[in-house]
Amino acid sequence: MEMLNQQALKNFSKIFYNSTRANEKEALTYWHLVEKMGFPSFQNEEWHYTPLKKILTSKYQLTNNKFHNIQSKNFKNIGITNLDGWRIVLIDGYFIPTLSSDDFFPYQINMNDMIKNFPIPILNNDIFLYLTESLSVQPLLIKLGSNQIVEKPLYILNITSGSNSKYYINTSHYRYHLEIEANSKAQVIEHFISLNDKPHLTGSRLTANISENSFLNHIKFSFENEKSFHFSHNDFVARENSNIRSIGIFIGSKLSRNHTSVNLQGRGSTFFLNSLLLPKNDQIIDIRTYLEHNEPFCNSNQLHKSIVLDDSKAIFNGIIKVSQKAVNISANMKNNNLLLGEKAEVYTKPQLEIYADDVKCTHAATVGGIDIEQLFYLCSRGIHSQDAKHIIMVAFTCEISESIHNDAIKNAVKKIVQKCFI
């Protein structure tokens, strides 16, 4: 395994030093962290259920900007097409003007070739985070000024292409930073899809700073093809009396690992996080959350659900850390799993670290199959057993899909979820 790790590191080293980012100070700093950390071994507890052998034995290449002048008519049906809002399209990490909105006002969108002055990670323990910081070709800085109430969503569509090469797999990396100033409201959607059915490795990183009295509604969809690998890291920092809602839905990738790290730095801030995992066949979806309560009178609530089919695997690891001065807070974390495959697996590990008194913290996890009484009730009403199972599975997901407030997005998600069970 150590030899594989070294070979993979050598491969990515060649990619980095041949990239446009190799001479940038910040990217070079992150690359040195990649070299220092190295890829994890199977014995590493944090990676024990997320095998990397297939990833480490593959050879990768960065894609070039071949799609820069692509015609919009060839992509008119890609993504969520009936969404009333602003649209940013990136292919293989590059901004595509011909597929994106002409004007983003009141948002300010800056396309950069560097990550200077972007915030440092809340957690510094993942090599794929450093890879994305090193290899993202066109980071985006997205700003919303103070006193801006924006009801329409900012839709970021990320399209990754697979290579036709017999020897190399494409790797593409996406990096954004959101700066939401005081007394404002924003809705941002990240949507990841594959351009074709070829294998590829996607890395993404979102950081968000939400100023006092502001609201962010964030949604992430990861719907890449069944040969893809996806590694993402989202960091949220909440200031005084701010409110953040984040929803993640993960379907499709052969291996997907997604981190959400949160720092409640402002008194009276609120954070809600929901996620839905739908692995099937031999897919693996790994969800990790880390939330710090650092100020009094903050609230957080997490609900993570998965339906695990066939020989697939779902992993959840969540940590809530309450600092000594974070009194009068409420923190709840729940992970519910529907285990339906004979060889399917679920690993769940919710954790609390509490260093303060006068707090309300709960965590729970459940793993089980379809309720026999529910199935019997539906069948007794003349519904075929397979249809009855389908109804129960869709109902299980509704708590997550119904938390999406935009009807166009909600309906699109429901259609995609229902197709997973056919």
Side-chain angles (χ1 to χ4, degrees):
M1 192 68 177
E2 181 64 28
M3 185 177 294
L4 288 179
N5 292 355
Q6 292 300 320
Q7 288 176 351
L9 196 59
K10 186 177 180 180
N11 181 211
F12 279 106
S13 178
K14 183 178 179 180
I15 293 173
F16 173 73
Y17 284 109
N18 287 331
S19 74
T20 58
R21 303 289 304 283
N23 295 321
E24 183 198 326
K25 180 181 177 182
E26 287 78 10
L28 192 59
T29 298
Y30 279 114
W31 176 253
H32 288 157
L33 291 172
V34 171
E35 294 179 317
K36 181 179 179 180
M37 177 171 287
F39 288 96
S41 66
F42 179 77
Q43 287 76 22
N44 187 318
E45 185 178 354
E46 294 297 313
W47 291 87
H48 188 67
Y49 302 113
T50 313
L52 296 178
K53 185 176 180 180
K54 177 63 177 177
I55 294 173
L56 297 179
T57 53
S58 300
K59 292 185 177 180
Y60 298 94
Q61 63 181 7
L62 279 179
T63 52
N64 56 35
N65 196 4
K66 59 183 180 295
F67 296 106
H68 186 76
N69 295 315
I70 199 162
Q71 296 298 311
S72 59
K73 64 181 181 180
N74 299 326
F75 283 78
K76 63 180 180 180
N77 294 320
I78 289 186
I80 302 175
T81 56
N82 61 338
L83 196 61
D84 182 17
W86 297 268
R87 185 180 179 98
I88 297 176
V89 178
L90 299 102
I91 300 182
D92 296 332
Y94 290 95
F95 174 68
I96 310 299
T98 54
L99 303 180
S100 303
S101 299
D102 296 326
D103 180 33
F104 297 101
F105 184 81
Y107 289 100
Q108 302 171 43
I109 312 292
N110 294 316
M111 314 294 168
N112 302 319
D113 293 324
M114 60 181 62
I115 53 172
K116 188 176 182 180
N117 300 324
F118 278 19
I120 62 173
I122 294 175
L123 279 180
N124 296 294
N125 63 353
D126 193 292
I127 186 173
F128 290 95
L129 183 155
Y130 299 139
L131 277 175
T132 294
E133 293 281 21
S134 304
L135 297 175
S136 53
V137 290
Q138 205 168 62
L140 302 186
L141 175 60
I142 303 169
K143 295 184 70 173
L144 181 65
S146 57
N147 304 305
Q148 300 286 336
I149 306 301
V150 183
E151 299 294 343
K152 294 181 180 180
L154 179 66
Y155 176 55
I156 308 174
L157 178 60
N158 308 276
I159 307 171
T160 303
S161 67
S163 170
N164 290 319
S165 170
K166 295 181 180 179
Y167 306 104
Y168 291 96
I169 293 176
N170 283 355
T171 180
S172 301
H173 297 263
Y174 304 82
R175 176 70 171 97
Y176 338 99
H177 176 62
L178 302 179
E179 193 70 35
I180 310 299
E181 296 185 354
N183 308 305
S184 293
K185 178 180 179 181
Q187 182 178 179
V188 177
I189 303 167
E190 296 181 89
H191 189 183
F192 291 84
I193 62 175
S194 301
L195 183 63
N196 50 38
D197 61 355
K198 305 296 182 182
H200 59 79
L201 187 151
T202 301
S204 75
R205 175 152 169 74
L206 164 71
T207 52
N209 182 31
I210 313 304
S211 298
E212 59 272 13
N213 304 309
S214 287
F215 175 81
L216 172 65
N217 188 3
H218 167 259
I219 302 173
K220 175 174 179 176
F221 302 134
S222 181
F223 299 157
E224 294 180 316
N225 71 43
E226 296 184 1
K227 298 178 183 178
S228 67
F229 307 105
H230 185 99
F231 294 87
S232 66
H233 301 81
N234 290 352
D235 283 10
F236 298 95
V237 176
R239 308 297 177 180
E240 185 175 354
N241 294 319
S242 63
N243 188 332
I244 302 172
R245 295 177 60 89
S246 182
I247 300 171
I249 299 180
F250 305 94
I251 301 171
S253 296
K254 184 174 183 63
L255 172 60
S256 176
R257 184 173 168 114
N258 308 272
H259 289 251
T260 300
S261 300
V262 185
N263 191 339
L264 299 183
Q265 284 191 354
R267 189 184 182 96
S269 57
T270 302
F271 181 77
F272 292 91
L273 175 63
N274 290 348
S275 73
L276 177 63
L277 289 61
L278 299 176
K280 61 181 180 179
N281 299 323
D282 59 349
Q283 297 167 359
I284 299 173
I285 304 180
D286 188 340
I287 296 294
R288 309 221 159 213
T289 67
Y290 174 80
L291 191 152
E292 292 183 355
H293 278 267
N294 289 317
E295 292 292 334
F297 303 102
C298 296
N299 297 305
S300 68
N301 192 75
Q302 299 181 51
L303 174 61
H304 306 276
K305 285 192 166 188
S306 66
I307 298 180
V308 193
L309 302 168
D310 307 319
D311 298 342
S312 65
K313 185 189 300 184
I315 302 143
F316 172 74
N317 191 315
I319 300 175
I320 297 175
K321 185 176 181 179
V322 182
S323 70
Q324 191 170 1
K325 65 176 181 177
V327 296
N328 292 297
I329 65 99
S330 175
N332 303 289
M333 177 169 54
K334 186 187 295 184
N335 176 221
N336 295 333
N337 302 277
L338 202 55
L339 189 62
L340 301 184
E342 291 185 4
K343 295 183 179 180
E345 300 176 24
V346 169
Y347 301 93
T348 177
K349 188 179 179 182
Q351 303 173 76
L352 298 176
E353 294 183 21
I354 303 173
Y355 301 97
D357 297 323
D358 197 13
V359 300
K360 182 182 178 181
C361 297
T362 65
H363 67 301
T366 62
V367 180
I370 288 179
D371 190 302
I372 299 300
E373 293 184 2
Q374 291 179 350
L375 189 62
F376 175 78
Y377 175 84
L378 293 173
C379 291
S380 67
R381 265 60 183 173
I383 300 174
H384 189 274
S385 60
Q386 281 300 111
D387 295 331
K389 290 179 181 178
H390 183 270
I391 291 171
I392 292 171
M393 288 189 286
V394 171
F396 182 81
T397 69
C398 279
E399 193 170 1
I400 304 298
S401 60
E402 289 298 326
S403 65
I404 300 173
H405 296 157
N406 186 298
D407 288 340
I409 302 170
K410 183 191 301 183
N411 293 333
V413 168
K414 285 183 176 180
K415 289 179 181 178
I416 292 170
V417 168
Q418 288 180 16
K419 286 181 180 178
C420 292
F421 306 134
I422 295 175

